[in-house]
Amino acid sequence: GKRDEELILPLNSSLSVTLHQDQLRTTTTAAISKDFSEDRIWLNGREEDVEQPRLQACLREIRRLARKRRNTGEGDPPTPSLSDRVHVASVNNFPTAAGLASSAAGFACLAYTLARVYQVEGDLSEVARRGSGSACRSLYGGFVEWQMGQRADGKDSVARQVAPESHWPQLRVLILVVSAERKPTGSTVGMQTSVQTSALLKFRAEALVPARMAEMARCIQERDFPRFAELTMKDSNQFHATCLDTFPPISYLNDTSRRIMQLVHRFNAHHGHMKVAYTFDAGPNAVIFTLDDTVAEFVATVRHVFPPEANGDKFLKGLPVTPVPVSDELKATLAMEPVPGGVQYIIATQVGAGPQVLDDPDAHLLGPDGLPKQAGC
């Protein structure tokens, strides 16, 4: 939830893990030219409305910083003309608007790319935040905190890295894609309704989150997976409890989401301690945290409970996972009837770095004419 919708200032601090770009990424190309007649943007090959308020907020903020840099005479070479128009093309290699942080990745990438084009340096938290609050966290790799701040102007509502991507090399992330469809209730609209109607949300932000943030930072620093897992699941469950406490209620989870939760708890019970954890954002897709020595068995367990219907060879994407059998004892503990096709596919990944510059011209999305290469228009 937000305490200021215009400046995108949160009710509470939050923490996220940046995922590896070898498996999940947003790629963005921006170009500025006096020959462009207007600002334009393409997302996943389709032109979008450049007047979208949050996109305009990002552009205004980056141009303000560029103007400030020019007025103070900082930098060499001089900044591009601020009257020139900009073309932007952006592509996600994972489902968009399905509760997998596509807006966070997209606006972080946009802010970083525009800063390069306009030669703006320094912290870009405010630029990214104007597009999507959580995008400020995605400007950094590893484990990242978005500090809520106290100031009305939001200048202290910034992201900071809690630990780099190299800090916990054993940590793995499995994304169980239940649905790649756009969610019926968008995150922004849902949060606005929750802030207005959920008493639980206000209590959670004020009474619970500060201590949980400190505890989560400790778990990460000490690589305490059992406690990290428990906190992650409890916080996810509480988020969805606030969604149900919203009036009218919002339900992002579906029956498959709830079966995944059940599977995780029974898997942990079988082993006698926390070996996997789930978290769900504003969508039905599960993000699973585990350690490298548990990945193979858990993937096999998901395949057992949610056998692929037709895409068995494409069921697992990303990092390679060695196939292993599921023991009869584990199957007995699970006691779950298979639901074929319940999980469409799994993306196996790990903690990754923040934004990277692509030097290969073939990776650029805009051609010499400033139009998308693939679109040809």
Side-chain angles (χ1 to χ4, degrees), residues 241-260:
T242 64
C243 292
L244 286 177
D245 189 50
T246 299
F247 195 81
I250 302 166
S251 183
Y252 288 115
L253 306 180
N254 62 20
D255 288 344
T256 302
S257 309
R258 287 181 279 272
R259 281 184 73 82
I260 292 168

Side-chain angles (χ1 to χ4, degrees), residues 2-33:
K2 303 182 192 74
R3 67 180 191 271
D4 188 309
E5 284 288 342
E6 183 182 347
L7 296 178
I8 318 294
L9 301 178
L11 281 172
N12 54 262
S13 299
S14 56
L15 191 142
S16 66
V17 179
T18 301
L19 301 181
H20 205 290
Q21 293 166 35
D22 283 354
Q23 287 81 45
L24 296 103
R25 64 185 172 273
T26 297
T27 304
T28 302
T29 302
I32 295 175
S33 174

Side-chain angles (χ1 to χ4, degrees), residues 13-190:
S13 299
S14 56
L15 191 142
S16 66
V17 179
T18 301
L19 301 181
H20 205 290
Q21 293 166 35
D22 283 354
Q23 287 81 45
L24 296 103
R25 64 185 172 273
T26 297
T27 304
T28 302
T29 302
I32 295 175
S33 174
K34 63 181 186 304
D35 297 327
F36 298 160
S37 59
E38 59 183 348
D39 294 334
R40 297 176 72 182
I41 186 167
W42 293 264
L43 176 60
N44 294 327
R46 202 175 99 186
E47 186 159 14
E48 301 286 342
D49 181 12
V50 78
E51 295 301 322
Q52 199 263 349
R54 292 196 169 187
L55 177 60
Q56 283 297 313
C58 268
L59 283 169
R60 277 196 306 273
E61 184 62 18
I62 205 79
R63 282 167 170 158
R64 182 188 71 79
L65 293 172
R67 190 174 297 111
K68 179 182 175 184
R69 178 180 180 276
R70 167 176 287 186
N71 291 342
T72 56
E74 296 175 11
D76 184 44
T79 54
S81 171
L82 296 176
S83 61
D84 292 351
R85 300 293 94 190
V86 64
H87 284 189
V88 176
S90 190
V91 172
N92 296 325
N93 77 335
F94 59 96
T96 300
L100 291 177
S102 57
S103 60
F107 277 107
C109 202
L110 177 68
Y112 187 83
T113 306
L114 290 175
R116 302 280 299 192
V117 170
Y118 281 101
Q119 296 164 22
V120 169
E121 297 176 350
D123 183 52
L124 299 173
S125 287
E126 189 163 3
V127 181
R129 198 188 70 223
R130 292 297 185 94
S132 172
S134 52
C136 68
R137 296 188 309 240
S138 297
L139 287 167
Y140 299 90
F143 304 83
V144 190
E145 177 188 6
W146 176 14
Q147 298 175 334
M148 62 178 288
Q150 302 296 328
R151 291 175 49 159
D153 62 4
K155 296 298 182 186
D156 57 350
S157 183
V158 296
R160 72 167 187 92
Q161 190 180 66
V162 173
E165 58 269 23
S166 58
H167 173 71
W168 201 345
Q170 300 85 6
L171 193 66
R172 294 291 181 272
V173 182
L174 300 169
I175 296 167
L176 277 51
V177 178
V178 172
S179 171
E181 299 296 314
R182 284 179 172 263
K183 55 205 175 194
T185 304
S187 305
T188 301
V189 173

